[in-house]
Structures are given as structure tokens and as C-alpha cells.
């Protein structure tokens, strides 16, 4: 299944946060959402997992407007990993993962073999099968994130929506989590802060700037020095990664764009 | 309800000691509750043998003519309604505590945090002091005033909390606390205005919680409200679980979060109002019962709700026995005993849990 976002406008507390956004997450591809802080990435994703209602425009799931489906019905197709990390309520790892079955269950129904199957497989997929009875809040940050990802897997979705899933993870856990996503081959819509991670993992990128999608395409087409200067306000050059051949963005960490060599930047921005 | 409890599996690399299976635990609590109810009816100023207790109950339920004598009066008119009221109020407090803790996503929240009980107290105290109730006696007039106070407060907190959209937990708590404090200021003023010592005494007693007003008539509303609220909550146990993880996560799991919050707030407020109206503001039970149960069976509401109801019922029946029998000359307010016994018990449990390093 695929996601098409058409003319999306989202307002939050009376302010337009996302304006007239168009975006595609193609079947089986990893689609990345990048952009500076406050550019509207999280807001846009929240309309896909129906935490926020669009003020205008549509989110289509393989052609069907999500709002024509009941919340539970659309949650069977779209699973989310928001930035929330839960609170201390004595939940075990298995209980957290089993929450992924919520959209499939009627009131009073207990878990059946299918549910247990999905939960066990999701735990195994993220390498937490042996930890199912641990208390969720006793886990490390990396383990927690993997459990929350397992909860999304247990939802058996056609589309995964992830908001900054690598935040607060050390580099090894970042790599592991992104490798897990690549291995899934589900339609995935993910926002990422790390442009180099986005460049190697995503099949397609959408760049958000001040609530609008300003560039879309393959990472190498999109992540240009000009865009770095214009959208992110930094000087950068793009080279080939010596190990993988992916685009590697080398930033100038000494000065933001525009403070040095103003003539070059003007050319780039123009 | 015990039938819907999910089975827990134990084992795994790093088991934590929450392995008590919920089914047998619920059964044990149920048996203990029956025993406690029997003891509550048997013990008192006049002791009645347990066999005679059940004899009276059996004759009444099977429609046989009750035997003449004081036993029938004491058992059927005084102690059975009181024991049942204790069980219903305890179960209700266990349920409402569990629900409110999920509603505001804080394991240490208390239904009284939402201001509802302050409103109920103001209503009750106004009835006593201003003579709105039936001559200041603990009765339907007083309960009616308390419930009216609870509903009025609910409307007020609702109006404040809904602004800005979505009944956000923090907004709900802040609105509840602020309005609750405002109302309890009025209550304190009214207490000071109380005409005589007897009035002051009955006001204070009511504020600390009492089951002394129990009669069959008073039982009707909680006997309907507590099971209904319990079923309603049990049907939404998965939604409550999802709320614990956060609003966005719950939305992603297909829960209409705003609607669930709105309904939860309504159900918990009405139930709190019913409970406070028949028993006063009994402290600590709604906070402690879910917390203790969570330590034992974990946070999944499908197990937590029925166990909290059972444990709350058992606890309050036992506490009321203590209240009636601890001192010869007078009865203790329920709230005094729940606080004195409950706080150390909770501290002990927390300490043991921290000590085990989990």
C-alpha cells in the first residue's frame, strides 16, 4: 500500500504549520522526511497516524481517504512510532508489544493465537524475544525504542510511520534500527534529523521548509549544497561515501551559510 | 469479570517478580471478600455466629418468613447493608482510581484530584449546616446534596478543561485542583459557621468518610453504578492501556483519544460523585488500591481493573470492621483508618520494590 498526501494543510492552535503539502510514500519504499526544526515534519506525520486532523487536503491510503475509515480500521493499515516514550505504569515488554493488536480486538476479547504469533514474531524481529517479561521502564533507551518498534510491527501494518526514531540513540543503535527498517520492506514514512542517515537509508526524500515541501526525489538529487544553504542554513558539500558509495554530506561546522563568502552563497541560494 | 482476565505467561531471560497469575488471585480475593463480609456482619457490639448470619441471609433471600428477634434486625437491617456498602464503595474507589490514573497518565493520581469530591463535600456540608438535608441526619437528602455538588463541579471542571482542545492531562489536573481548592475554601467557611458542636461533629465525620449511613435504600444507586462503570471500563481496557503510552501512540493504535478522555472523565466523575455521596470522601483507597494491584499483576488494565475492584472491596470491608470495633465507645471515621493503615503499607511495598532493584 502507498500513501499520497494531497494539498495538506494543518493548523495547530490557530497557526498554519503545514501548508499545501504534496507527498508520496511509494509501496515498499522507505520515504524520508527531512527539514530543520519546526519545519512541520512531526505535524505532517501526525495527520498520517490520525493524531491531528487536516484543516484542508487529504491523506490517501492507496487511494482511500483515511478519514473515510474508522480510527481502528486505519490503524490496521498504518502503524506509528511517535516520539513519546511511555510512562511508568508497570507494563512488561510483552504487554507493550501486545498493544499493537489493539486495532484488531473487540471489547472484552482476549488474545488469540494470531495475536500471540504477531507479538512473538515482532519481538524476535527486533531481537528482544528473550526480554519479554522485563519491565518496560527498566530497559535502556535503545532497548525501549526497539520494543516500541516491535509494537508497531505487531500491528501488522502496510505502512509504518516513524517520527525521529533514532533520536537519543547512540550510533550503533541508530544503525541497528535503520537496518531493521530496511529489512522490513514495508512502505515506510520516516522523519530523520541525520541527513547522512537519510541519504543512505531512504529511497526517496521530501524536504520540508517552513511547512512546505520544497524538494522531492532521490537523495542524491535532493541533497545538494544549494539546498543545504537555503533550507538548513549551512555550508556543505556532497561526496561519495568511501565505504558504501551513498551520498555523504560533509558539513562546514565552523560557520553557518551566509557568514562567510557571501558571494558564493548568493549564487547558491539564487 | 474474572473470566475475561488475560492469562499471564512467566519465564524469559530476566523475569521480574510480577508473575502472580491474575485468575487464581482474583479467585482468592473473591473468597477473602466473602469471608470478610461474613465477619463484618458477625462482629460488632453484639456478636452473631457466622452460621446464623448466613441463616438470616438465606431466609431473607429465599422469601421465608424471618424469625422474630434482634438477630434478624441487626443482620438484615443494619450490618448487611453496611457491609455491602463498604464492598461497593471500595470496589468503586478501586475502579475510579485506576481509571483516573490512566486518564491523567499519572500512577499517583487520585479521583479527588479532579475536584469532584470537593464539590460533593461542599454540597453535603451545605446541606448539614444550612439544614437543607433532612434535619442534618445522614440520609438521602445529604447524599442528594453531595451528588448535586459533584455534578456541578464536574460541569465546571469540564468547561475549563475542554478549552484548548482534548482534555489534556495536565490541564484537567490543574483545572480540578484549582476548582477543588476554591470549593474547599467555601466548605471550611461553612464548617466555621456551623451552629453547634453536634453539627461540626457530623460535618467533620462526613468529610473523613463514613459508612454509618448505610441502609438498603442508600445501596440502590451504587449497586447499579459500580458494576455498570466496571463493565464500561473493562470494555475499554485496551484503550486505557494505550493512553498510558501517550496520546499520539494511542491515536496510532486506532483510539479516538479525545472521545475516550471525555467519556472517561464523565464516567469517573459520576462514579466519584455517587461514592462520595453515600460514604463521604474516603481518603487514600482510590490512590493506593490500583497502585498495589499494579505492583502485583502489572499495568495491563484487563487484569488491573477487576483486581482493583476486588481488592478495594475487600480492603474497605476490613477497614470498616476495624472502624466499628477498634474503640468501645465510638466509631472511627473510615478515612482515618485508611490513611493510618494505607500509607505505611504503600511505603512498605514501594520500598520492597526499590530494594529488589527492578
Amino acid at each position: 500500500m502507498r500513501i499520497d498526501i494531497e494539498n495538506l494543510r494543518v493548523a495547530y492552535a490557530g497557526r498554519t504549520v503545514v501548508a499545501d503539502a504534496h507527498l508520496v510514500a511509494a509501496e515498499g519504499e522507505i520515504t524520508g522526511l527531512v527539514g530543520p526544526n519546526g519545519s512541520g515534519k512531526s505535524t505532517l506525520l501526525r495527520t498520517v497516524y490520525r493524531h491531528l486532523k487536516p484543516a484542508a487536503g487529504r491523506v490517501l491510503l492507496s487511494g482511500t481517504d483515511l478519514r473515510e475509515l474508522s480510527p481502528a480500521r486505519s490503524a490496521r493499515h498504518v502503524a506509528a512510532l511517535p516520539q513519546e516514550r511511555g510512562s511508568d505504569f508497570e507494563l512488561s515488554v510483552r504487554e507493550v508489544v501486545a498493544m499493537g493488536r489493539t486495532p484488531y480486538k473487540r471489547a472484552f476479547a482476549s488474545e488469540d493465537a494470531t495475536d500471540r504469533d504477531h507479538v512473538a514474531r515482532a519481538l524476535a524481529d527486533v531481537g528482544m524475544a528473550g526480554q519479554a517479561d522485563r519491565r518496560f521502564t527498566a530497559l535502556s533507551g535503545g532497548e525501549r525504542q526497539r520494543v516500541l518498534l516491535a509494537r508497531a510491527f505487531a500491528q501488522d501494518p502496510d505502512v509504518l510511520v516513524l517520527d525521529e526514531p533514532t533520536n537519543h540513540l547512540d550510533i550503533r543503535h541508530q544503525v541497528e534500527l535503520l537496518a531493521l527498517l530496511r529489512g522490513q520492506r514495508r512502505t515506510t514514512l520516516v522523519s530523520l534529523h541525520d541527513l547522512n542517515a537519510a541519504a543512505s537509508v531512504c529511497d526517496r526524500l521530501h524536504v520540508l521548509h517552513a511547512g512546505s515541501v520544497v524538494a522531492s526525489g532521490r537523495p542524491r538529487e535532493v541533497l545538494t549544497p544549494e539546498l543545504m544553504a537555503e533550507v538548513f542554513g549551512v555550508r556543505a558539500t556532497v561526496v561519495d561515501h568511501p565505504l558504501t558509495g551513498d551520498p555523504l554530506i560533509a558539513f562546514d561546522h565552523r560557520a553557518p551559510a551566509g557568514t562567510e563568502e557571501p558571494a558564493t552563497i548568493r549564487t547558491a541560494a539564487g | 469479570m474474572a473470566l475475561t482476565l488475560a492469562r499471564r505467561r512467566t519465564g524469559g531471560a530476566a523475569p521480574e517478580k510480577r508473575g502472580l497469575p491474575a485468575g487464581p488471585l482474583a479467585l482468592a480475593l473473591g473468597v477473602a471478600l466473602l469471608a470478610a463480609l461474613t465477619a463484618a456482619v458477625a462482629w460488632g457490639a453484639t456478636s452473631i455466629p457466622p452460621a446464623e448470619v448466613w441463616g438470616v441471609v438465606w431466609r431473607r433471600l429465599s422469601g421465608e418468613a424471618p424469625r422474630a428477634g434482634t438477630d434478624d434486625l441487626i443482620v438484615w437491617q443494619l450490618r448487611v447493608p453496611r457491609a455491602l456498602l463498604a464492598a461497593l464503595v471500595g470496589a468503586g474507589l478501586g475502579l475510579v482510581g485506576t481509571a483516573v490514573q490512566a486518564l491523567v497518565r499519572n500512577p499517583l493520581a487520585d479521583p479527588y484530584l479532579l475536584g469532584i469530591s470537593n464539590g460533593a463535600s461542599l454540597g453535603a456540608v451545605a446541606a448539614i449546616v444550612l439544614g437543607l438535608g433532612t434535619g442534618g441526619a445522614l440520609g438521602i437528602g445529604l447524599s442528594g446534596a453531595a451528588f448535586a455538588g459533584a455534578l456541578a463541579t464536574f460541569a465546571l471542571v469540564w468547561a475549563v478543561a475542554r478549552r484548548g482542545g482534548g482534555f489534556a492531562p495536565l490541564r484537567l489536573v490543574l483545572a480540578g485542583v484549582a476548582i477543588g481548592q476554591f470549593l474547599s475554601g467555601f466548605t471550611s467557611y461553612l464548617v466555621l459557621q456551623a451552629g453547634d458542636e453536634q453539627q461540626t461533629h457530623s460535618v467533620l465525620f462526613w468529610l473523613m468518610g463514613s459508612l454509618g449511613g448505610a441502609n438498603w435504600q442508600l445501596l440502590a444507586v451504587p449497586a447499579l453504578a459500580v458494576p455498570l462503570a466496571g463493565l464500561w471500563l473493562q470494555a475499554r481496557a485496551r484503550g486505557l492501556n494505550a493512553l498510558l503510552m501517550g496520546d499520539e501512540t494511542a491515536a496510532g493504535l486506532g483510539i479516538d483519544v479525545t472521545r475516550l478522555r471525555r467519556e472517561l472523565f464523565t464516567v469517573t466523575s459520576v462514579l466519584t460523585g455517587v461514592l462520595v455521596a453515600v460514604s463521604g470522601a474516603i481518603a487514600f483507597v482510590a490512590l493506593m488500591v490500583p497502585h498495589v494491584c499494579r505492583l502485583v499483576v502489572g499495568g495491563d488494565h484487563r487484569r488491573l481493573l477487576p483486581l482493583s475492584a476486588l481488592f478495594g472491596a475487600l480492603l474497605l470491608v476490613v477497614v470498616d470492621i476495624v472502624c466499628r470495633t477498634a474503640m468501645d465507645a465510638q466509631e472511627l471515621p473510615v478515612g482515618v483508618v485508611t490513611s493510618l493503615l494505607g500509607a505505611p503499607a504503600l511505603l512498605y511495598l514501594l520500598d520492597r520494590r526499590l530494594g529488589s532493584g527492578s
Side-chain angles (χ1 to χ4, degrees):
Chain A
M1 285 194 157
R2 56 182 280 155
I3 293 279
D4 293 272
I5 293 178
E6 297 179 352
N7 305 328
L8 185 74
R9 190 165 74 80
V10 193
Y12 205 72
R15 200 170 63 89
T16 297
V17 184
V18 172
D20 199 32
H22 287 261
L23 185 152
V24 176
E27 167 113 40
E29 282 192 357
I30 297 188
T31 303
L33 216 52
V34 296
N37 291 339
S39 58
K41 301 187 296 286
S42 296
T43 303
L44 193 148
L45 293 181
R46 282 178 189 141
T47 61
V48 181
Y49 57 82
R50 299 183 71 175
H51 178 62
L52 294 177
K53 286 195 184 90
R58 306 191 295 173
V59 179
L60 300 174
L61 175 72
S62 291
T64 308
D65 192 332
L66 272 186
R67 282 182 300 173
E68 286 169 16
L69 304 172
S70 72
R73 179 68 58 174
S74 64
R76 292 180 194 181
H77 298 291
V78 181
L81 181 57
Q83 291 200 39
E84 297 167 332
R85 295 295 173 263
S87 38
D88 189 8
F89 271 94
E90 302 282 341
L91 291 165
S92 72
V93 167
R94 178 181 285 112
E95 284 161 353
V96 170
V97 176
M99 277 185 205
R101 304 304 298 164
T102 303
Y104 296 92
K105 307 307 286 185
R106 296 180 158 276
F108 300 111
S110 59
E111 255 127 54
D112 58 25
T114 317
D115 299 321
R116 282 191 288 272
D117 229 45
H118 278 289
V119 170
R121 201 163 345 124
L123 278 167
D125 281 351
V126 302
M128 293 292 286
Q131 324 268 321
D133 289 297
R134 287 181 68 190
R135 198 152 68 95
F136 177 68
T137 43
L139 303 177
S140 72
E143 290 172 324
R144 267 193 216 199
Q145 193 67 332
R146 278 192 283 161
V147 169
L148 293 176
L149 188 63
R151 192 209 59 226
F153 289 166
Q155 215 165 323
D156 193 25
D158 302 301
V159 179
L160 269 174
V161 181
L162 307 101
D163 194 1
E164 308 275 6
T166 54
N167 256 9
H168 311 299
L169 296 186
D170 61 33
I171 183 67
R172 161 146 189 208
H173 287 116
Q174 291 185 25
V175 171
E176 280 178 359
L177 190 129
L178 293 172
L180 257 171
L181 287 184
R182 279 219 73 87
Q184 285 281 316
R185 302 310 316 175
R186 288 181 213 248
T187 308
T188 302
L189 184 57
V190 55
S191 71
L192 288 166
H193 247 307
D194 184 337
L195 296 175
N196 281 313
S200 6
V201 170
C202 298
D203 300 299
R204 192 177 294 270
L205 287 182
H206 297 279
V207 183
L208 270 171
H209 185 36
S212 300
V213 178
V214 294
S216 301
R218 304 277 160 200
R220 196 179 289 280
E221 302 159 10
V222 167
L223 298 173
T224 59
E226 293 76 20
L227 183 119
M228 296 296 151
E230 194 180 341
V231 172
F232 292 92
V234 294
R235 275 160 46 86
T237 180
V238 181
V239 296
D240 286 341
H241 195 294
L243 292 178
T244 62
D246 292 331
L248 174 68
I249 303 137
F251 297 101
D252 176 0
H253 283 96
R254 298 184 184 196
T259 55
E260 234 176 277
E261 299 176 302
T264 322
I265 298 307
R266 204 176 300 123
T267 325
Chain B
M1 242 185 265
L3 291 176
T4 64
L5 298 176
R7 210 165 288 130
R8 260 191 77 77
R9 286 146 162 238
T10 48
E16 316 236 336
K17 41 131 213 48
R18 301 175 310 121
L20 284 180
L25 197 62
L27 194 66
L29 278 175
V31 171
L33 178 60
L34 271 183
L37 284 169
T38 310
V41 179
W43 295 348
T46 313
S47 279
I48 296 164
E52 176 60 15
V53 168
W54 284 105
V56 168
V57 171
W58 173 250
R59 282 190 290 279
R60 282 286 186 168
L61 290 181
S62 63
E64 272 179 51
R67 284 183 198 162
T70 52
D71 278 6
D72 180 75
L73 177 74
I74 292 174
V75 169
W76 192 251
Q77 299 301 340
L78 297 176
R79 290 192 190 160
V80 169
R82 180 162 182 161
L84 289 179
L85 186 67
L88 280 170
V89 169
L93 287 172
L95 288 172
V96 85
T98 310
V100 167
Q101 288 171 5
L103 171 65
V104 303
R105 201 181 303 129
N106 184 336
L108 290 173
D110 182 299
Y112 303 157
L113 207 59
L114 301 181
I116 307 301
S117 73
N118 303 81
S121 297
L122 180 58
V125 170
I128 295 172
V129 173
L130 305 175
L132 301 175
T134 47
L138 293 165
I140 293 298
L142 179 55
S143 293
F147 190 63
L151 286 191
T153 314
F154 163 66
L156 205 58
V157 177
W158 173 291
V160 176
R162 72 183 296 207
R163 295 176 57 196
F167 291 90
L170 188 62
R171 195 173 176 91
L172 202 51
V173 171
L174 288 177
V177 167
I179 290 168
Q181 284 303 312
F182 180 77
L183 296 176
S184 78
F186 267 110
T187 306
S188 302
Y189 173 78
L190 281 180
V191 174
L192 287 175
Q193 296 302 305
D196 55 62
E197 209 169 301
Q198 180 54 38
Q199 266 188 353
T200 313
H201 184 259
S202 59
V203 165
L204 285 179
F205 207 86
W206 195 86
L207 287 178
M208 286 185 277
S210 166
L211 299 161
N215 58 50
W216 285 106
Q217 216 185 346
L218 195 68
L219 274 177
V221 176
L224 202 66
V226 172
L228 277 181
L231 278 174
W232 188 90
L233 288 168
Q234 190 71 23
R236 283 149 189 83
R238 285 175 194 275
L240 296 181
N241 286 349
L243 278 189
L244 301 186
M245 301 303 288
D247 287 9
E248 291 185 39
T249 305
L253 290 169
I255 307 288
D256 187 339
V257 174
T258 305
R259 182 177 152 195
L260 179 59
R261 274 237 162 73
R262 197 165 52 212
E263 293 176 352
L264 256 181
F265 179 45
T266 306
V267 167
T268 54
S269 295
V270 171
L271 185 57
T272 306
V274 166
L275 299 174
V276 176
V278 296
S279 64
I282 294 172
F284 219 63
V285 176
L287 165 69
M288 187 187 66
V289 164
H291 207 73
V292 169
C293 290
R294 215 178 271 121
L295 290 177
V296 178
V297 298
D300 187 338
H301 285 90
R302 284 173 294 156
R303 294 191 305 274
L304 191 57
L305 284 164
L307 282 177
S308 292
L310 278 171
F311 181 55
L314 174 64
L315 182 73
L316 212 56
V317 171
V318 171
V319 163
D320 193 46
I321 296 175
V322 175
C323 291
R324 288 190 299 115
T325 56
M327 287 160 67
D328 282 338
Q330 68 174 109
E331 231 174 65
L332 286 168
V334 182
V336 169
V337 179
T338 53
S339 296
L340 288 181
L341 293 181
L346 182 60
L347 286 176
Y348 169 74
L349 278 166
L350 285 175
D351 190 51
R352 229 178 47 140
R353 191 168 75 94
L354 293 177
S356 75
S358 63

